[in-house]
Amino acid sequence: MRESGNGETVYHAKQGPEGSLLTIEDFSLWYSGKQALFDVSMQVEKGFVTALIGPSGCGKSTLLRAINRMNDLIAGLRTRGRILLGDTDIYNPSVDVIALRKAMGMVFQKPNPFPMSIAANVIYPLRVDGVRDKSILRETVERALRQAALWDEVKDRLQDNALGLSGGQQQRLCIARAIAADPDVLLMDEPCSALDPVATGKIEDLIDDLRGRYTIIIVTHNMQQAARVSDNTAFMYLGALIECGETSTIFTNPKVKKTMEYVTGRFG
Amino acid sequence: MSANPKSAADEFDNRVGPPPRRSHAASPQETTEPVRAPEKGEEERPPLTPARKRPYAWDFRAAGEPFVWSMGGALVIGILMIIGFLIFVVYNGILTFYPEPLYVVKLKDNKQIAGEFFRAEVYKLEPEALKGLPENVRKEIADQKGFANRNLYRIGNFDLYNEDFRWTPTHDIVETSTPKDMFFVERVEWGPFIGRITKLDLNGQIIQGSDVNMATLDQAVAQATKRRARIRQIERSEMGEVNHHLEKGRLGLRKVALSRGEESPEYRSAKDEYEAKAEKWRARHEELAREAESIKERDGKYTITLAEVNGQEKQLKLSDIVRLYPANRLTVTEKLHIYLSRWWEFLSQEPREANTEGGVMPAIFGTFCMTALLALAVAPFGVVAALYLREYAKQGRVVSLVRICVNNLAGVPSIVYGIFGLGFFAYLVGGSIDQLFFPERLPSPTFGTGGLLWASLTLALLTVPVVIVATEEALAAVPQSMREGSLACGASKWQTIKHIVLPRAMPGIMTGLILAMARGAQEVAPLMLVGVVKIAPELPIDGIFPYLHLERSFMHLGFHIYDVGFQSRNSEAARPMVYVTTLLLIGMVLALNAASIVVRNRLKKKFLAGHF
Ligand SMILES: Nc1ncnc2c1ncn2[C@@H]1O[C@H](COP(=O)(O)OP(=O)(O)OP(=O)(O)O)[C@@H](O)[C@H]1O
Ligand SMILES: [Mg+2]
């Protein structure tokens, strides 16, 4: 139906000091027969922020959700190729999806706090992991909320229902939840799409803060944001990875014409 | 549309035939747009239809107004029918217990009748009956085309008259009065007595009718009621308990006989033990019987002599009286007091007189126990089934088929469930239980016949579709984003369901459950097969171990209505009871529904509060 995956990816990503954490190898994905990803290959450097950009419907969310196997929920899904975390293929049948997801935090496009107290939301990943120790839990609540720049706003009402927070606060709460269990990888799908500039700024600061400690993959439609926060940027188009490289190069001097057109706003 | 490079003029040109009808909904700008001058080759275009000339005219059909009206009308009719029914039941039910005045009616043949006025009716007289009437009455009736009026009086005194009610043609009535000394006496047996007090005999202390004051009378009746309650307690509870122990011992002995044989030493020692115990229990029985006898003897010395309106006398034990009052002397407060005490009796006492009098406490209790057990059975079952269907089963043709079957189960006539319950639960399962655990009681069944447990399970089966459907809907309404959020945190599917999905779906599940209980509480037909009885000798819960007796038959409000209304000796007398019981049942179901709304709202507030 659509011509894609023909062109090779132009690859000039910056190497991290600690090497790569995730390796995606010739990864393709079909939604009940309809191909959504075409032979995507890239490496995600440990401790780096990697931005995924591209026009709507190009497969950014699909790729992101493939990394923590969130797509497993979808009936009729098929994949080919490998995604390696360290050196285990996460699509290997012997891999425990739950353990995998515990190693990754995810922040969704729309805030999705659980209908429970703020504190209970933050410690949810620990709770399902079987952590019962009160002091650890209390400590985690404070640390995660501080990292998510939410602590000062909610420290007096930790037992209130999280659904009473504003949209931006809810999103930061979701970020706190995603980092509560100290994951290796943080996957963020347009985390700022529902936020005002101030909240967006806070979250960008947060990402900046987390750089080095976590490996972050962030999907964004906001070019400035990608340019500001990321180390490497991957540009996707129609399910294929067109160009993946150092952020400054992608935004100033991309090697592929399509990328140039996209980052300069000529289409998309 | 804009992709098509055709100009607007082209489109205009290509239009042949009358322009399409415009709906009145079109915006004014569109409809008032100036008519363009015809361009080349436009001669054959027909003149504009009038529709274009009345842009603001109200198009009745397009607005769909008739449909709106008919939809509203249908709704109104439905609501009116329900409200009318409710008013009817409430009106009749509420007034039943209010004390009515007693009329003494003097008839032409110099007889008198006394009673409560029940209702009036116009009826057609037989020609024979007409013949015996005086001239002026006949003329009057002829003027009314052969119809006459008659009144129905509740005259009571069934033991004397052999009827509770009497029709009296109005032309036979000479005079109606409400004498102050008429009493309405509710008795334990034979229904009410209506008449005057001639004599009170309080253990030899004789008081003549005219000297009886209300305070003495009330006090004497209260004491007599206490004696009656004591006798009853001895005969029912205490002797019942002794009998229960005797029976238990006998069954225990039989069990030993069945398992070891009658020759075995175990049997012999068990028998000796039983004999010793039985001796003790029999002695206790004797003692209780003697006590009851002595109270009865004393009780027999407190009597009241009543005379019906024509002077025929009747002597009663005071303890046979439930309540008596001088109907025509009551103040409003006293009437209210009687009214409330009758309600209290209705709610807290056992029925008397083949259910037409007294209370419905055992029926309320039975309905309550059965509904509670039903909920206990249906909740886990329905919720688990729905969880599997919605969360675990692979969605496909099989699951759809199962779902359709479940929905259709809700439409199976309930009597079919009753038959199934009787055949499967009572006879098959219950019969096997009896074989295994209660062989000593056979051939009389324990679980092998209808009872509380089987009735509850049958109704659980009947209402499980309601719970499944409600739960499935509630589960489906939990946003996918929340499940994903939980799974992304590393929760397993079951943890997600437990911590996120079920709490979120709880309001819906509770609503479904309570609706199922309401449905089950009002079901009657299947119960008639699986354990409901007219009069249950014992309540399903009592002080004898194991306290909750699942095998016992029980009474039920719905069946009570049927029984009182259609199976009783005197349907006229039973009618008020039918209304009151109906009112009670509707009240219970309404209360359950109201509870479901409250629960849902409270849980909703907790789980779905303020998004953004
Ligand atoms: N559950 C699904 N079933 C079938 N097709 C899907 C499904 N989810 C996504 N797709 C398709 O896969 C393609 C990629 O979708 P994806 O959500 O990854 O796009 P995206 O790049 O995240 O877009 P956006 O920026 O708008 O979020 C789209 O064509 C979409 O229609
Ligand atoms: Mg997306």
Side-chain angles (χ1 to χ4, degrees):
Chain A
M1 183 192 111
R2 55 186 185 179
E3 137 287 328
S4 195
N6 307 338
E8 286 288 294
T9 306
V10 176
Y11 205 88
H12 49 89
K14 196 165 77 179
Q15 300 280 311
E18 298 175 63
S20 68
L21 182 71
L22 269 170
T23 310
I24 303 170
E25 284 179 7
D26 288 330
F27 190 77
S28 301
L29 183 145
W30 290 262
Y31 284 118
S32 52
K34 191 175 137 249
Q35 190 163 7
L37 292 178
F38 294 81
D39 296 316
V40 174
S41 298
M42 67 181 281
Q43 295 199 328
V44 178
E45 303 299 321
K46 194 167 186 179
F48 273 24
V49 178
T50 305
L52 284 180
I53 59 170
S56 184
C58 70
K60 305 179 298 290
S61 299
T62 304
L63 181 61
L64 198 72
R65 293 161 57 91
I67 293 172
N68 70 347
R69 288 185 57 179
M70 225 38 204
N71 286 326
D72 286 13
L73 303 179
I74 295 163
L77 190 96
R78 196 161 62 79
T79 62
R80 196 185 63 203
R82 304 201 296 171
I83 297 180
L84 300 170
L85 177 65
D87 40 45
T88 29
D89 177 8
I90 65 167
Y91 278 89
N92 192 314
S94 66
V95 165
D96 176 11
V97 189
I98 291 171
L100 175 79
R101 291 193 188 129
K102 278 181 180 147
M104 302 183 178
M106 186 163 198
V107 180
F108 294 81
Q109 195 164 344
K110 255 176 68 188
N112 57 351
F114 303 137
M116 23 172 119
S117 74
I118 294 172
N121 259 282
V122 177
I123 57 172
Y124 185 78
L126 280 74
R127 187 163 146 221
V128 298
D129 207 15
V131 179
R132 289 277 173 280
D133 187 329
K134 283 259 160 50
S135 64
I136 294 182
L137 293 179
R138 211 171 311 128
E139 208 176 283
T140 307
V141 170
E142 181 166 351
R143 173 184 61 80
L145 284 174
R146 273 192 199 285
Q147 283 182 356
L150 189 60
W151 175 252
D152 293 330
E153 286 159 67
V154 301
K155 62 171 183 272
D156 300 322
R157 47 173 178 147
L158 290 175
Q159 296 312 319
D160 287 9
N161 195 322
L163 298 178
L165 295 174
S166 78
Q169 288 172 328
Q170 288 186 0
Q171 188 64 304
R172 276 178 282 153
L173 178 65
C174 290
I175 294 176
R177 188 175 73 194
I179 57 182
D182 247 328
D184 300 333
V185 184
L186 191 55
L187 308 170
M188 304 175 111
D189 194 349
E190 299 182 43
C192 304
S193 65
L195 302 187
D196 67 273
V198 179
T200 304
K202 280 187 183 164
I203 287 180
E204 284 178 16
D205 290 347
L206 163 69
I207 294 170
D208 217 36
D209 252 19
L210 301 177
R211 189 197 312 276
R213 257 183 290 170
Y214 300 103
T215 304
I216 299 174
I217 306 177
I218 177 170
V219 172
T220 178
H221 277 290
N222 182 333
M223 295 307 127
Q224 286 79 25
Q225 186 174 63
R228 275 195 301 266
V229 301
S230 68
D231 300 295
N232 284 325
T233 299
F235 170 62
M236 294 179 69
Y237 183 61
L238 296 181
L241 183 60
I242 303 296
E243 184 170 356
C244 177
E246 200 177 339
T247 300
S248 52
T249 320
I250 293 274
F251 281 99
T252 54
N253 187 19
K255 306 271 191 294
V256 184
K257 190 159 151 269
K258 210 79 214 177
T259 319
M260 171 68 109
E261 284 173 2
Y262 183 73
V263 298
T264 53
R266 233 163 295 159
F267 82 96
Chain B
M1 195 168 101
S2 57
N4 195 335
K6 248 199 240 170
S7 76
D10 280 342
E11 278 175 9
F12 199 72
D13 276 348
N14 291 343
R15 205 153 62 194
V16 282
R21 274 185 54 83
R22 294 196 153 225
S23 102
H24 80 288
S27 67
Q29 288 99 311
E30 252 183 89
T31 38
T32 54
E33 127 200 2
V35 177
R36 243 178 283 229
E39 288 172 24
K40 53 201 157 68
E42 286 272 324
E43 314 79 61
E44 65 275 34
R45 222 163 63 81
L48 295 171
T49 53
R52 287 197 75 126
K53 284 185 190 154
R54 43 179 181 91
Y56 299 114
W58 179 251
D59 186 336
F60 204 62
R61 280 164 296 174
E65 207 69 0
F67 295 105
V68 177
W69 279 104
S70 55
M71 284 183 272
L75 183 67
V76 166
I77 291 173
I79 290 178
L80 280 183
M81 274 168 20
I82 293 171
I83 290 181
F85 166 74
L86 283 180
I87 289 178
F88 179 72
V89 170
V90 169
Y91 176 79
N92 282 295
I94 290 247
L95 290 184
T96 297
F97 290 144
Y98 198 71
E100 302 277 330
L102 289 173
Y103 295 98
V104 171
V105 180
K106 208 181 227 166
L107 302 175
K108 285 203 173 131
D109 55 4
N110 263 332
K111 284 223 175 99
Q112 292 187 341
I113 60 171
E116 290 178 344
F117 174 74
F118 212 64
R119 66 190 152 97
E121 192 179 84
V122 177
Y123 75 118
K124 193 165 175 88
L125 273 127
E126 302 289 323
E128 267 97 291
L130 264 174
K131 263 183 230 144
L133 291 174
E135 188 59 39
N136 57 341
V137 176
R138 244 185 301 171
K139 187 160 173 297
E140 212 170 279
I141 293 171
D143 285 348
Q144 289 183 32
K145 302 202 173 73
F147 287 97
N149 294 324
R150 60 179 180 183
N151 294 343
L152 183 64
Y153 289 98
R154 181 181 193 191
I155 54 173
N157 308 4
F158 188 82
D159 41 347
L160 302 181
Y161 303 158
N162 258 324
E163 57 181 355
D164 278 322
F165 289 82
R166 188 171 296 165
W167 283 109
T168 319
T170 43
H171 52 76
D172 278 353
I173 297 176
V174 179
E175 188 194 341
T176 309
S177 60
T178 52
K180 297 254 181 277
D181 56 349
M182 291 302 286
F183 269 80
F184 189 90
V185 183
E186 292 170 42
R187 298 179 289 181
V188 175
E189 279 172 329
W190 296 111
F193 191 96
I194 294 171
R196 302 183 166 89
I197 297 177
T198 45
K199 198 172 77 181
L200 197 60
D201 180 348
L202 301 176
N203 199 7
Q205 179 197 351
I206 313 267
I207 307 173
Q208 290 304 322
S210 46
D211 303 334
V212 172
N213 76 11
M214 270 324 278
T216 329
L217 195 57
D218 284 341
Q219 199 192 354
V221 170
Q223 278 168 2
T225 306
K226 265 192 207 128
R227 285 194 297 274
R228 184 178 72 223
R230 176 69 191 136
I231 295 171
R232 209 184 122 74
Q233 199 202 351
I234 292 173
E235 290 186 341
R236 284 283 296 274
S237 316
E238 300 183 3
M239 286 164 111
E241 198 181 332
V242 170
N243 285 336
H244 168 81
H245 283 293
L246 278 170
E247 176 71 3
K248 208 170 115 188
R250 190 184 68 76
L251 290 173
L253 190 63
R254 175 123 193 269
K255 198 167 185 175
V256 176
L258 283 177
S259 60
R260 299 292 160 107
E262 295 202 6
E263 304 305 318
S264 62
E266 285 95 341
Y267 178 73
R268 246 169 277 141
S269 71
K271 188 163 172 144
D272 292 344
E273 201 180 318
Y274 167 69
E275 293 297 350
K277 265 196 207 149
E279 202 48 51
K280 228 174 59 203
W281 285 120
R282 283 203 197 97
R284 172 89 182 120
H285 197 274
E286 285 295 288
E287 189 185 317
L288 286 171
R290 268 200 304 277
E291 188 185 346
E293 209 47 56
S294 80
I295 297 176
K296 273 187 195 162
E297 198 190 313
R298 196 151 52 86
D299 189 48
K301 293 185 182 144
Y302 293 81
T303 61
I304 186 167
T305 310
L306 300 166
E308 57 92 72
V309 67
N310 292 312
Q312 195 181 347
E313 291 204 342
K314 169 97 189 174
Q315 197 186 38
L316 288 178
K317 280 188 293 180
L318 267 180
S319 62
D320 282 343
I321 290 175
V322 177
R323 181 185 295 109
L324 85 176
Y325 57 86
N328 300 334
R329 276 208 314 248
L330 294 176
T331 63
V332 173
T333 340
E334 284 166 337
K335 281 186 180 172
L336 275 178
H337 185 248
I338 290 169
Y339 177 73
L340 292 178
S341 81
R342 277 176 168 171
W343 263 109
W344 175 241
E345 183 197 355
F346 178 71
L347 294 176
S348 66
Q349 298 294 310
E350 293 185 9
R352 289 180 278 116
E353 301 272 315
N355 291 352
T356 56
E357 307 247 340
V360 292
M361 191 273 289
I364 298 176
F365 196 76
T367 311
F368 175 79
C369 283
M370 189 209 68
T371 312
L373 277 176
L374 151 79
L376 273 184
V378 82
F381 196 65
V383 171
V384 166
L387 265 181
Y388 183 78
L389 269 183
R390 172 66 56 184
E391 303 285 331
Y392 286 98
K394 195 162 163 289
Q395 304 296 315
R397 214 167 280 174
V398 180
V399 168
S400 301
L401 200 69
V402 170
R403 210 166 270 147
I404 290 171
C405 289
V406 166
N407 283 324
N408 281 334
L409 269 186
V412 173
S414 55
I415 190 76
V416 175
Y417 284 95
I419 295 166
F420 175 80
L422 184 69
F424 179 74
F425 287 134
Y427 290 163
L428 197 71
V429 181
S432 316
I433 291 177
D434 279 0
Q435 295 279 340
L436 283 174
F437 299 105
F438 306 103
E440 72 278 9
R441 299 195 191 181
L442 288 173
S444 70
T446 310
F447 277 99
T449 179
L452 184 60
L453 180 64
W454 303 142
S456 304
L457 289 186
T458 306
L459 286 192
L461 210 61
L462 180 92
T463 50
V464 83
V466 179
V467 178
I468 292 184
V469 169
T471 307
E472 271 213 77
E473 267 165 22
L475 292 176
V478 177
Q480 188 66 16
S481 67
M482 267 190 197
R483 295 163 204 259
E484 288 186 345
S486 168
L487 291 171
C489 286
S492 69
K493 188 158 185 174
W494 168 240
Q495 284 171 325
T496 301
I497 289 173
K498 193 170 75 176
H499 297 309
I500 307 292
V501 177
L502 272 184
R504 252 300 287 244
M506 206 38 94
I509 296 176
M510 292 304 278
T511 312
L513 188 62
I514 296 176
L515 287 182
M517 282 165 68
R519 166 98 205 271
Q522 63 201 358
E523 195 64 65
V524 177
L527 295 180
M528 292 159 76
L529 299 178
V530 288
V532 154
V533 289
K534 198 178 150 76
I535 298 173
E538 298 149 309
L539 290 178
I541 296 181
D542 63 17
I544 296 172
F545 183 82
Y547 311 118
L548 173 63
H549 302 275
L550 292 173
E551 79 285 358
R552 283 191 187 163
S553 51
F554 61 104
M555 290 176 71
H556 184 271
L557 279 175
F559 183 72
H560 196 80
I561 293 173
Y562 168 73
D563 178 61
V564 172
F566 301 98
Q567 307 281 299
S568 60
R569 155 173 72 85
N570 188 336
S571 66
E572 198 77 63
R575 208 157 66 168
M577 278 313 242
V578 171
Y579 286 128
V580 183
T581 317
T582 309
L583 186 64
L584 191 65
L585 188 56
I586 291 178
M588 260 176 93
V589 171
L590 276 184
L592 274 179
N593 282 317
S596 86
I597 292 170
V598 171
V599 166
R600 188 175 48 194
N601 287 347
R602 284 187 57 173
L603 290 177
K604 234 187 208 157
K605 230 179 256 155
K606 191 162 159 207
F607 290 117
L608 317 179
H611 255 295
F612 296 88

